[in-house]
Amino acid sequence: MSNEIEIGRGKRGRRAYSFDDIAVVPSRRTRDPKEVSVGWQIDAYHFDLPIIAAPMDSVMSPDTAVALGRAGGLGVLDLEGLWTRYEDPAPLLDEVATFDSARATARMQEIYAAPIQPELITARLKEIRAAGVTVAGALSPQRTNEFWRTVVDAGVDLFVIRGTTVSAEHVSGRAEPLNLKRFIYELDVPVIVGGASTYTAALHLMRTGAAGVLVGFGGGAAHTTRVSLGIHAPMASAVADVAAARRDYLDESGGRYVHVIADGGVGRSGDLVKAVACGADAVMLGAALARATEAPGRGWHWGPEAHHPELPRGERVEVGTAGSLEQILFGPGHTADGTLNLVGALRRAMATTGYSDLKEFQRVEVVVSPYQPH
């Protein structure tokens, strides 16, 4: 049955769904939430929580990466952010949280124009390693060739290559593009790469040897790509499409499993639940963790798209403060809006529908049920 609809006589489009458009359906069995496992493993690294912090300055500092790691998740530091451009970024983080919205983009462009210092990349990653947690850092595809050796030499455990969209077939007549397949083959650490939002793009990334694929394009709270570029990928359909690519690549490769990580549009606990239900092994959270009292953004949230020197495709948004990192992850919750106790909500959803672990929960029934808030 075709899912295409007619836009006009000369154009057809496939209907796609966001997390708000779907709902998980209870089954015949229920479980005790305390008997549900939400752990997962990528390569040799096991995590108690299927939560990865987005490499964004408003979300991750070395301290918050350590705190999330000790809680059972994975913190990814932005190795092109303020922590690798300035010895002490605290005054600049204070400024970003206080300056007038009318000049926010221009001022951030000025702040982020400072050069990346390789010695700071080394220092920040070693600071996280000294705490005894899994070390992860992120570079954009454009900067990977320049700084990857510094990152690996600093002792990173998981290498993240993250852009608004990342393809295995980038074409450029000006400079030699990053050859992902060769790069990943020669690298001695697992690589997570993305974003991708279609079956075909994800399948090609899986064929490069990536350990995980980030799914999403412009769906985060601080993105404006739909407005500025006209590009958007509704997350429920994107995750389900990439999960199908994972299934087919598993057969094609003779059993190699590539992890699917939903990145964008997972702002509240219900979105986390539906991301896993659509096939995600884990989620990468930005705004949800930017609401923590410990977050570097001080209640504000922004990504690298917000300070792009030529074409900003994001903005600084006020997400507020919901509670401590502990409360956001494990509660107790004192609001009913899905901002607190994310892990408890996932456990309860899995228990309510009768599933005992994340892989099982990916098979849960879902329905198209657009949500219309009053």
Side-chain angles (χ1 to χ4, degrees), residues 180-194:
L180 274 174
K181 189 168 186 176
R182 185 177 65 194
F183 174 79
I184 292 173
Y185 177 78
E186 294 176 353
L187 207 61
D188 200 25
V189 297
V191 177
I192 298 171
V193 63

Side-chain angles (χ1 to χ4, degrees), residues 143-166:
R143 296 278 195 169
T144 296
N145 276 330
E146 184 178 358
F147 294 113
W148 73 267
R149 189 170 295 279
T150 300
V151 175
V152 173
D153 289 347
V156 73
D157 294 315
L158 288 164
F159 195 117
V160 179
I161 301 175
R162 183 178 187 257
T164 304
T165 186
V166 177

Side-chain angles (χ1 to χ4, degrees), residues 163-229:
T164 304
T165 186
V166 177
S167 76
E169 299 180 15
H170 181 66
V171 178
S172 175
R174 296 182 301 159
E176 183 181 359
L178 175 67
N179 185 322
L180 274 174
K181 189 168 186 176
R182 185 177 65 194
F183 174 79
I184 292 173
Y185 177 78
E186 294 176 353
L187 207 61
D188 200 25
V189 297
V191 177
I192 298 171
V193 63
S197 56
T198 66
Y199 172 94
T200 302
L203 187 59
H204 280 264
L205 289 179
M206 291 172 186
R207 289 169 176 162
T208 67
V213 172
L214 300 171
V215 183
F217 186 100
H223 283 255
T224 60
T225 50
R226 183 165 185 165
V227 175
S228 57
L229 298 184

Side-chain angles (χ1 to χ4, degrees), residues 274-286:
K274 289 184 273 190
V276 177
C278 287
D281 297 290
V283 297
M284 179 169 273
L285 301 182

